[in-house]
Amino acid sequence: MTGDESLEESGEPRTDGGERSRGSRSSSKLRSDGGAAGADDVALDPWGSSSVSDYRNLFEEFGIEEFDEILPEVPDPHYLLRRGVIFGHRDYRPVAEAMQNDEPFAALSGFMPTGDPHIGHKLVFDEIIWHQQQGADAYGLIADLEAHSARGLTWDEIDEHSRNYLLSLLALGFDPEEGKLYRQSTNREVQDLAFELGAEANFSEFEAIYGFDGETDVSHMQSVVTQMADILYPQLEEPKPTVIPVGPDQDPHVRLARDLAERMRFFKVSKAYASFELDDEERELVADFYDRLEPEEFDDDTLRCVHVADELERTPLEELDVPADTLGSVVQKLTEAGKEPIRPRTRFFNRRATEDAFEALIEAIEGEKRVYESHIDAFDLDLEEAKALATEVEVDNGGYGFLPPSSIYHRFMTGLTGGKMSSSIEASHISLLDDPEEGYDKVKSATTGGRETADKQRELGGKADECPVYELYAYLLAGDDDEFAKEVYDECVGGERLCGGCKEQAAELMREFLADHQEKREEVEDLLEEADIELDSPRRG
Ligand code: TRP
Ligand code: SF4
């Protein structure tokens, strides 16, 4: 409770935590019907205290894509997707497509067992479970190596917390017979894969991505390659689209995993227009002119490199909308290639294939092809076909064929006391193990987005967008019932709902949720015992 009881009906003013006051969430609205916009003024740090004050930065600065734009392609989306609690993604399309077409795909996330699972973790549990229900091979892993190395927990502590995470995951509906649970420390395949991936990453890179330095211990670094292996583990048997549901603080890991997946590939497949190489920007420019120019307009009905070079030089720079050096390098390459005809093709660049694999690829390419020392050009395959072929040949010849993993990002919940929800601040979060009465009390004492007085609230409406209690409804308490969530929102901002009653209702729902969840946890005890995961670590220290 933050203030005078008498303020209850009118809604007490928010007591903003330091973190929150920095950027507030005015730019990051959670949708009432489902949906949010809205990141950080600090770098994303997996081991720091991530609070996200402006979700838009994540799109602009880090290239995370807005989830809304892909939502229409998701069959029967979960309420967290509909309501914008999941606000962003990287490359989720292949996952959505696999879902639509009933093709194999996977979902995996990991949990550092550093404390009790709380309602923030429930978001991720729900995301894994929902994907499992949509047909994913689902994985839940305990990041015990990370907890030991990066957070210094003892193995006994880790065992205790792990059990609690797993019980909640099962209680919420994870099917351990269809899916897989594991802990990092006992998964030999993950360790072996981590070792292989480690050969593709070096210390400078870790320095740049994670801020590691000479003081960083080696086990912490090992936990990073282990996470890389976790992320690619679902693809060990065969390459498949994989989604990693996480908070945006984990995005550096996702980006590195996507890079490593690419670096492990035998072949790089790209589109080319002539014998020379182009980078992405250069290629786009040539593609654009290739589409624009008609071969009939040139000498022997053939569009040649020089023609495009001439045309580019004739076009004013403003019209091209590319940096001058990109234009310069394209013109140079085209001019040097001279009379060579421009012909679109897909290029398989040999990155790390064995000789046998390279030979097998040459064999497998149908139609016209040209074989060079370290690449092959295919003239009758489109890019997608070419990529699928490269993966197939790689897998048949002893490679992994990893597809870059996809991710989805959920918003961090606001703490009940304002600021960020943190496991280390008791009153700020609700643990899934909290006594239902305690849960009730915490909600009753939460800060709100209410006005100073009931009259003002009726006149101006509450600020649901800045209200941790509204978040509880949207993220959890309203469950699948969008109408209910919308009703709470509309009534609040319309001034019909006052904070006292609103919190009472939320507190009761929370009490009910916790009681129910804890009963389910007891029911799944046996399921956990039977599950194929080691609950007691033999490790010391
Ligand atoms: N680093 C994650 C965390 O801090 C835990 C984790 C380990 C993880 N391996 C993973 C998350 C793989 C997603 C995927 O919570
Ligand atoms: Fe108050 Fe409820 Fe509105 Fe929050 S959602 S400001 S608690 S009425």
Side-chain angles (χ1 to χ4, degrees):
M1 183 60 220
T2 52
D4 185 343
E5 279 294 335
S6 65
L7 284 174
E8 268 304 79
E9 256 313 304
S10 56
E12 63 278 35
R14 282 185 65 212
T15 53
D16 235 341
E19 286 283 351
R20 274 287 293 272
S21 54
R22 234 196 312 149
S24 93
R25 297 229 331 269
S26 50
S27 56
S28 55
K29 225 168 137 235
L30 183 68
R31 269 208 310 257
S32 55
D33 53 338
D40 221 336
D41 42 17
V42 292
L44 291 171
D45 176 1
W47 301 284
S49 73
S50 289
S51 76
V52 173
S53 53
D54 179 359
Y55 285 83
R56 284 177 312 187
N57 280 352
L58 292 185
F59 305 131
E60 283 153 24
E61 241 177 83
F62 296 94
I64 290 174
E65 296 169 81
E66 290 190 44
F67 197 84
D68 268 4
E69 97 210 332
I70 192 144
L71 184 64
E73 293 168 48
V74 182
D76 204 5
H78 188 269
Y79 72 82
L80 293 172
L81 304 174
R82 300 198 300 264
R83 271 174 222 161
V85 177
I86 289 147
F87 68 90
H89 73 105
R90 271 188 202 279
D91 200 17
Y92 190 70
R93 184 156 286 112
V95 176
E97 277 173 8
M99 233 182 272
Q100 285 163 13
N101 305 328
D102 259 331
E103 283 163 2
F105 70 104
L108 169 144
S109 196
F111 306 92
M112 237 205 296
T114 50
D116 286 350
H118 59 60
I119 54 175
H121 299 111
K122 177 182 180 287
L123 303 179
V124 182
F125 295 151
D126 284 345
E127 293 174 70
I128 300 176
I129 294 163
W130 178 78
H131 282 95
Q132 182 174 45
Q133 289 162 351
Q134 301 297 108
D137 292 342
Y139 297 76
L141 72 98
I142 297 294
D144 57 354
L145 294 180
E146 186 180 359
H148 189 65
S149 64
R151 291 282 164 81
L153 270 83
T154 66
W155 290 100
D156 282 345
E157 289 166 328
I158 287 172
D159 286 349
E160 185 195 327
H161 297 146
S162 300
R163 220 192 142 75
N164 281 328
Y165 276 80
L166 293 165
L167 282 174
S168 281
L169 179 59
L170 294 176
L172 290 166
F174 184 88
D175 177 348
E177 275 162 30
E178 288 296 319
K180 183 166 173 69
L181 301 172
Y182 72 89
R183 53 196 295 167
Q184 290 176 325
S185 64
T186 55
N187 190 326
R188 180 69 211 218
E189 285 177 307
V190 162
Q191 288 308 312
D192 290 348
L193 178 57
F195 185 84
E196 299 301 325
L197 295 169
E200 289 299 318
N202 63 33
F203 180 67
S204 311
E205 202 169 7
F206 279 17
E207 241 181 327
I209 300 174
Y210 302 112
F212 286 0
D213 61 24
E215 301 297 306
T216 307
D217 62 78
V218 175
S219 299
H220 191 175
M221 295 186 225
Q222 194 182 336
S223 83
V224 172
V225 286
T226 304
Q227 179 157 355
M228 298 303 108
D230 290 331
I231 292 174
L232 295 170
Y233 181 60
Q235 299 194 64
L236 261 191
E237 234 166 76
E238 58 166 344
K240 57 170 82 74
T242 303
V243 59
I244 313 295
V246 278
D249 59 314
Q250 298 292 306
D251 185 54
H253 289 308
V254 170
R255 273 183 285 164
L256 179 59
R258 288 174 61 81
D259 269 4
L260 294 178
E262 177 76 26
R263 285 179 218 166
M264 297 293 282
R265 296 302 304 267
F266 283 8
F267 309 103
K268 181 179 164 65
V269 183
S270 61
K271 222 172 149 159
Y273 286 84
S275 55
F276 48 80
E277 284 297 315
L278 296 165
D279 68 23
D280 291 343
E281 261 187 346
E282 296 169 345
R283 192 179 304 113
E284 226 175 275
L285 188 60
V286 175
D288 187 23
F289 274 72
Y290 176 78
D291 290 339
R292 230 193 271 176
L293 300 172
E294 297 293 336
E296 300 83 59
E297 288 167 17
F298 299 92
D299 7 349
D300 49 5
D301 283 354
T302 311
L303 179 62
R304 297 173 191 275
C305 292
V306 280
H307 299 146
V308 178
D310 290 348
E311 195 66 28
L312 275 168
E313 283 183 317
R314 268 198 295 275
T315 313
L317 195 57
E318 312 83 73
E319 233 175 82
L320 293 173
D321 194 27
V322 290
D325 47 344
T326 302
L327 177 63
S329 65
V330 170
V331 168
Q332 188 185 352
K333 287 176 186 175
L334 288 163
T335 310
E336 280 167 8
K339 290 261 180 196
E340 187 187 330
I342 296 263
R343 281 184 69 196
R345 64 200 73 184
T346 48
R347 176 163 296 164
F348 297 84
F349 195 79
N350 184 0
R351 205 193 261 121
R352 50 185 286 160
T354 55
E355 220 164 284
D356 285 350
F358 195 61
E359 289 304 319
L361 180 63
I362 297 170
E363 252 333 272
I365 294 172
E366 286 181 17
E368 189 184 343
K369 59 193 151 195
R370 266 183 225 165
V371 179
Y372 301 83
E373 170 103 351
S374 57
H375 72 270
I376 310 164
D377 281 357
F379 293 87
D380 300 322
L381 288 179
D382 69 29
L383 193 62
E384 287 313 308
E385 290 168 331
K387 284 187 172 165
L389 187 65
T391 304
E392 191 186 310
V393 169
E394 178 175 338
V395 171
D396 287 348
N397 286 275
Y400 295 104
F402 291 135
L403 304 178
S406 314
S407 53
I408 50 176
Y409 301 108
H410 63 79
R411 302 159 61 103
F412 292 123
M413 287 182 98
T414 308
L416 298 175
T417 44
K420 66 177 224 143
M421 185 171 282
S422 155
S423 327
S424 50
I425 310 168
E426 208 25 66
S428 82
H429 74 276
I430 290 173
S431 156
L432 295 173
L433 312 184
D434 275 349
D435 185 89
E437 284 310 323
E438 196 183 340
Y440 174 93
D441 289 341
K442 282 183 182 173
V443 176
K444 286 285 275 192
S445 321
T447 48
T448 72
R451 307 283 171 178
E452 290 84 350
T453 64
D455 282 347
K456 274 203 171 156
Q457 177 100 346
R458 286 193 193 94
E459 185 193 334
L460 301 168
K463 295 187 228 165
D465 290 317
E466 293 174 26
C467 178
V469 178
Y470 176 66
E471 266 182 35
L472 292 178
Y473 282 103
Y475 288 50
L476 188 152
L477 301 172
D480 203 40
D481 190 345
D482 287 348
E483 245 164 72
F484 177 39
K486 185 164 166 38
E487 185 182 296
V488 173
Y489 186 91
D490 289 345
E491 286 178 5
C492 168
V493 299
E496 296 149 52
R497 189 174 260 266
L498 301 182
C499 297
C502 184
K503 287 210 281 190
E504 175 62 31
Q505 186 179 20
E508 283 169 17
L509 288 168
M510 184 61 79
R511 179 166 59 198
E512 227 171 276
F513 163 75
L514 288 172
D516 178 61
H517 179 65
Q518 289 163 18
E519 199 180 302
K520 290 201 184 114
R521 282 173 52 99
E522 276 175 30
E523 288 165 18
V524 298
E525 293 256 0
D526 293 344
L527 208 54
L528 180 60
E529 293 305 325
E530 288 157 26
D532 183 21
I533 181 168
E534 215 164 309
L535 297 172
D536 299 306
S537 173
R539 298 192 182 208
R540 304 178 191 189

